[in-house]
Amino acid sequence: MLTSRTAETAATIRTVAVIGLGYIGLPTAAILATNGLDVIGVDVNPNTVDAVNNGDVPFAEPDLGIHVAGAVSRGRLRAQRDTPSADAYIVAVPTPFKADKSADMSFIAAAARAIAPVLRGGELVILESTSPPGSTRRLAELILGMRPDLSLDGRDGKPALLVAHCPERVLPGRIMIELVTNDRVVGGLTAEAADAAAALYGVFCQGEIHLTDAATAEMSKLVENAYRDVNIAFANELSVISENLDIDVWELIRLANHHPRVNILQPGPGVGGHCIAVDPWFIVAADPENSALIRTAREVNDAKPGHIVEQVGNAASGITRPVIACLGLSFKANIDDVRESPAVQIVRRVAMLRPDADILVAAPHEDRLPQELAGCANVRLMETDQAIESAHVVVLLVDHDKFRDIEPSSLEGKTIIDTRGFWR
Ligand code: SAJ
């Protein structure tokens, strides 16, 4: 339930600054703008700023283009590099991990330093970036450190800053749908901040909005992704065991999932993307001694690309100058995102393992090889049919719908390594 005061606060929000126009920030900015708010997107990348101001989207996501183009043409959304004064701020910047697997908070800290000087008091600041427990409080402390004239609760007559965490939970490829339909968890540093943030998300979110404190909201996001990671690790471990026992793992999982309380996910070439492959480490970093299962799941999933490389090496052993077709580069199907992609890692490692091999990559969603592969002289981007035609070994890395067009007869006589059970 919103208190009347915070409902009032939310009703006074007319302008929202969204800091970070990436996979989460830009869709959120666009949906707020199409729901009638004035939104200023802020990004350090001038190409992103230009693209948005031209009504374009700098990455592929279904239906995002229509929202951005519409909001920009109606004057509701614009982008710039400087942080403006606004009624509410949504921080949606990356939180990558460092070499020691702890979270790199530098982007959040930079956002806090940019927001602090433009505050007037009474604004709402929401951290959306997936972050370790305690990050929302640290963000607030950074801002208040620069603005001792403000407070979190109006104490000593200092105007209050409403600070909350509202983690995003949308699935790439379905972002514009899930932004509207998913339930959300909103955690405030104060109950008022949680109420105000919930009221803002209520502008477009049709799911239920659950209120809690900031640390629990931070942890709930990490736990959701760690839960999925553990389940995928279970499937990946089963895939290796099944291979050794000469059992079809996909058939095995299909049958086990007929049990009313069993729901095993699917094995694959490893876990990629910027969420599930990263977030569980924040839990491990927060309590290393008590997170053995979460850490092991990460290690099992991280070991899977190496297992696939070994399979490819075995399939190509005995062939001089083998031609190896690798199908797909993104971290999952039907998107162009190659962040932390196991497919990219596998191609790179196969290229190093067999420098004499010709590695032909078919990636229907990319028009060039990613940076990690640019230095591999024996890796080339090709049309799918061409890549398959001359290949001795065909490795299916991503289950893109576009690969459904591949004629089964074109695969005859070749060694197939199907990491996703695509052709079962
Ligand atoms: N994967 C498998 N087997 C499966 C499912 C996925 O190997 O059965 C692999 C995918 O191929 C991919 C990786 O896992 O490499 C991650 O893909 P995903 O579809 O599981 O998740 P993401 O990273 O696209 O999005 C996740 C979602 N989290 C959960 O489902 C708990 C999404 O709701 C979050 O918003 C997102 O992380 C995020 O931003 O945190």
Side-chain angles (χ1 to χ4, degrees):
M1 274 285 285
L2 301 182
T3 63
S4 56
R5 196 161 141 223
T6 41
E8 228 172 74
T9 310
T12 61
I13 296 176
R14 295 301 323 148
T15 55
V16 182
V18 178
I19 323 287
L21 294 177
Y23 289 83
I24 300 304
L26 185 53
T28 305
I31 204 116
L32 283 166
T34 46
N35 280 280
L37 290 167
D38 287 320
V39 182
I40 305 126
V42 179
D43 204 283
V44 289
N45 184 339
N47 295 332
T48 300
V49 169
D50 289 348
V52 172
N53 284 331
N54 289 329
D56 294 334
V57 175
F59 51 88
E61 178 62 38
D63 294 335
L64 177 59
I66 299 169
H67 278 80
V68 170
V72 170
S73 70
R74 283 201 303 278
R76 287 274 182 226
L77 173 64
R78 66 174 199 275
Q80 59 188 52
R81 291 178 70 184
D82 298 328
T83 301
S85 200
D87 303 323
Y89 298 82
I90 295 179
V91 177
V93 295
T95 36
F97 57 44
K98 298 190 275 197
D100 67 354
K101 311 280 192 204
S102 66
D104 175 353
M105 303 291 288
S106 59
F107 298 99
I108 293 178
R113 284 195 298 272
I115 292 170
V118 295
L119 293 171
R120 296 157 304 205
E123 292 93 338
L124 171 64
V125 179
I126 298 170
L127 178 63
E128 266 217 27
S129 311
T130 305
S131 321
S135 303
T136 309
R137 185 158 294 280
R138 279 199 290 282
L139 169 80
E141 283 166 1
L142 269 171
I143 294 176
L144 294 179
M146 291 174 70
R147 292 295 303 269
D149 56 316
L150 302 176
S151 70
L152 286 181
D153 49 13
R155 197 172 297 176
D156 302 331
K158 295 178 179 180
L161 194 61
L162 302 171
V163 184
H165 183 59
C166 182
E168 58 81 14
R169 307 163 115 181
V170 288
L171 198 70
R174 286 177 46 83
I175 291 179
M176 298 317 288
I177 299 166
E178 293 204 359
L179 262 181
V180 175
T181 58
N182 285 1
D183 285 3
R184 293 203 77 136
V185 174
V186 171
L189 286 184
T190 57
E192 277 208 331
D195 280 348
L200 180 59
Y201 285 99
V203 165
F204 63 84
C205 174
Q206 290 169 10
E208 221 175 300
I209 301 181
H210 305 270
L211 302 190
T212 184
D213 59 80
T216 307
E218 289 159 346
M219 196 62 177
S220 91
K221 166 65 194 227
L222 302 180
V223 163
E224 289 158 21
N225 280 352
Y227 167 83
R228 194 159 167 85
D229 198 42
V230 169
N231 195 330
I232 299 170
F234 185 66
N236 276 334
E237 187 162 290
L238 287 181
S239 73
V240 179
I241 296 171
S242 299
E243 199 181 308
N244 288 337
L245 301 181
D246 209 11
I247 286 171
D248 177 341
V249 69
W250 284 280
E251 173 75 348
L252 173 69
I253 290 173
R254 187 182 70 78
L255 294 173
N257 282 350
H258 276 286
H259 185 288
R261 285 171 295 283
V262 173
N263 187 12
I264 307 169
L265 291 174
Q266 299 298 301
V271 167
H274 211 64
C275 308
I276 295 189
V278 175
D279 302 350
W281 287 120
F282 298 169
I283 303 179
V284 176
D287 190 354
E289 279 181 16
N290 296 301
S291 42
L293 177 64
I294 296 169
R295 178 204 305 270
T296 305
R298 271 288 66 246
E299 287 166 355
V300 166
N301 286 333
D302 275 353
K304 193 67 197 288
H307 182 75
I308 305 295
V309 172
E310 212 176 289
Q311 284 182 325
V312 179
N314 291 341
S317 70
I319 309 174
T320 31
R321 301 185 56 77
V323 179
I324 303 171
C326 293
L327 308 189
L329 281 180
S330 53
F331 81 84
K332 65 179 194 175
N334 305 325
I335 60 169
D336 65 353
D337 189 343
V338 294
R339 291 179 299 172
E340 314 283 335
S341 173
V344 173
Q345 194 193 134
I346 289 164
V347 171
R348 192 171 47 78
R349 289 171 67 175
V350 169
M352 288 188 315
L353 181 76
R354 289 298 302 262
D356 63 320
D358 200 7
I359 299 166
L360 309 179
V361 175
H365 297 270
E366 281 87 22
D367 50 17
R368 74 182 91 129
L369 288 173
Q371 198 55 38
E372 296 98 303
L373 299 177
C376 303
N378 54 343
V379 177
R380 287 184 288 154
L381 204 58
M382 285 250 157
E383 291 299 318
T384 308
D385 292 347
Q386 275 178 301
I388 291 174
E389 199 180 354
S390 56
H392 299 100
V393 180
V394 177
V395 192
L396 187 290
L397 293 170
V398 188
D399 43 346
H400 289 310
D401 287 344
K402 288 188 176 165
F403 293 147
R404 291 274 167 226
D405 298 340
I406 295 169
E407 284 292 335
S409 59
S410 69
L411 299 170
E412 275 168 21
K414 302 174 190 298
T415 305
I416 309 293
I417 298 175
D418 179 358
T419 69
R420 303 264 185 184
F422 187 70
W423 285 312
R424 283 196 67 253

